[in-house]
Amino acid sequence: MPLGIITSTQIEADLVTRLLIERNDFFIQGKYFYKGILGQNTDVVVCICGVGKANAAHGTTLLIERFKIDTLYVIGVGGAYPSSGLKIGDIVIAEKEIYGDEGLATRSGVKEKNKINFYTMDKINIPLCIADGIEYYNEFPMSLPKKVKIQSSDFKVKTGNFITVSTCTGILERGMELEKRFDAICENMEGAAVAHICALSKIPVIEIRGISNIIDDRAAEPLSKIDIIKAAENAQRFLLQLI
């Protein structure tokens, strides 16, 4: 069975797809898939799923059902939380993927009426899915890659919790709140949805991201393309060392 790779955008998979031997391209339900061989004999299918949870879940389902993958790598870029100690281009590997938005928001008592409290799905006793008798709420455990000798001094590698959000964080105070609540090092917009679908199908999932930005107060404008490309290429270079 082939190994699956999923990314949200083409730029996050350019290096990998260029290296595929005997490549075949597919366009299925609005998504691009690239099937081929990496290195000597690793069968691979790459999916460009699109941004966000719904696209990620859809792409993951197609990889599992159409291509019968046995392991899935999520690669791409992510935003590092302020206290993570990470820099642009560093590599992060997920120990857990956590839905950051799913839950209940309420106000405190009358005296603290401006304070918003957030309760995760376990606090309101509603699992997001049940697989093999295990109830999954906001958190999904991730597989970790085997240790590999890093052949680059361009980045450091750190493992930790990832948060999947629907709205990217561009407010420092919000970023500090999220990293503290979930003991997380970075955020993205797809990972938890991928882990969710893989848990239902008993597919191991490994997530590797390059840091494209450090969360801070920012204007409503695109991130640096140079930083995005650096982060995306570093994540792919790291992946290629693993497989």
Side-chain angles (χ1 to χ4, degrees):
M1 291 187 289
L3 180 150
I5 298 172
I6 190 165
T7 73
S8 61
T9 64
Q10 186 70 53
I11 198 172
E12 294 167 305
D14 274 345
L15 179 57
V16 171
T17 55
R18 286 200 306 266
L19 292 174
L20 286 176
I21 302 169
E22 300 178 14
R23 192 178 101 177
N24 290 294
D25 299 358
F26 304 87
F27 188 67
I28 304 171
Q29 295 181 17
K31 291 175 169 43
Y32 288 97
F33 295 81
Y34 306 94
K35 190 175 188 299
I37 299 171
L38 272 180
Q40 296 293 322
N41 56 8
T42 303
D43 291 329
V44 169
V45 182
V46 181
C47 171
I48 313 299
C49 68
V51 175
K53 300 169 187 172
N55 277 321
H58 180 215
T60 301
T61 301
L62 290 173
L63 279 170
I64 293 170
E65 294 188 349
R66 298 290 186 94
F67 296 97
K68 310 302 180 184
I69 61 168
D70 62 1
T71 301
L72 182 56
Y73 282 86
V74 186
I75 60 171
V77 303
Y81 287 118
S83 302
S84 65
L86 295 162
K87 297 181 297 185
I88 303 296
D90 283 344
I91 295 297
V92 287
I93 305 171
E95 296 178 355
K96 292 180 184 177
E97 254 296 358
I98 304 168
Y99 281 113
D101 303 316
E102 280 70 6
L104 171 68
T106 66
R107 290 194 181 278
S108 296
V110 176
K111 293 182 179 179
E112 297 177 300
K113 63 181 181 179
N114 292 322
K115 181 181 178 182
I116 302 296
N117 292 319
F118 178 79
Y119 299 94
T120 49
M121 298 300 292
D122 56 309
K123 301 298 183 184
I124 56 176
N125 198 29
I126 303 175
L128 291 172
C129 72
I130 301 174
D132 280 346
I134 300 173
E135 294 182 341
Y136 293 91
Y137 295 91
N138 290 64
E139 299 186 3
F140 291 81
M142 305 291 279
S143 298
L144 292 173
K146 295 178 180 179
K147 290 185 179 179
V148 61
K149 183 178 179 181
I150 306 304
Q151 299 177 359
S152 174
S153 59
D154 295 342
F155 52 78
K156 69 178 180 181
V157 179
K158 186 171 184 176
T159 63
N161 295 339
F162 289 14
I163 303 175
T164 298
V165 295
S166 295
T167 303
C168 293
T169 306
I171 302 170
L172 177 59
E173 182 181 5
R174 171 67 172 164
M176 294 172 66
E177 174 190 339
L178 284 170
E179 72 172 341
K180 181 179 179 181
R181 176 182 298 150
F182 296 111
D183 188 26
I185 58 174
C186 77
E187 70 178 32
N188 66 93
M189 300 181 76
E190 297 84 25
V194 175
H196 185 156
I197 300 303
C198 285
L200 293 169
S201 299
K202 302 180 186 178
I203 302 290
V205 56
I206 299 167
E207 185 169 8
I208 299 164
R209 292 187 180 270
I211 296 302
S212 59
N213 62 292
I214 312 301
I215 290 168
D216 202 346
D217 293 323
R218 58 177 274 201
E221 56 189 36
L223 297 173
S224 163
K225 190 171 182 179
I226 292 174
D227 290 344
I228 291 173
I229 291 172
K230 179 179 180 179
E233 289 186 349
N234 282 358
Q236 292 172 84
R237 287 163 55 201
F238 185 81
L239 172 69
L240 290 169
Q241 291 183 46
L242 297 178
I243 63 175

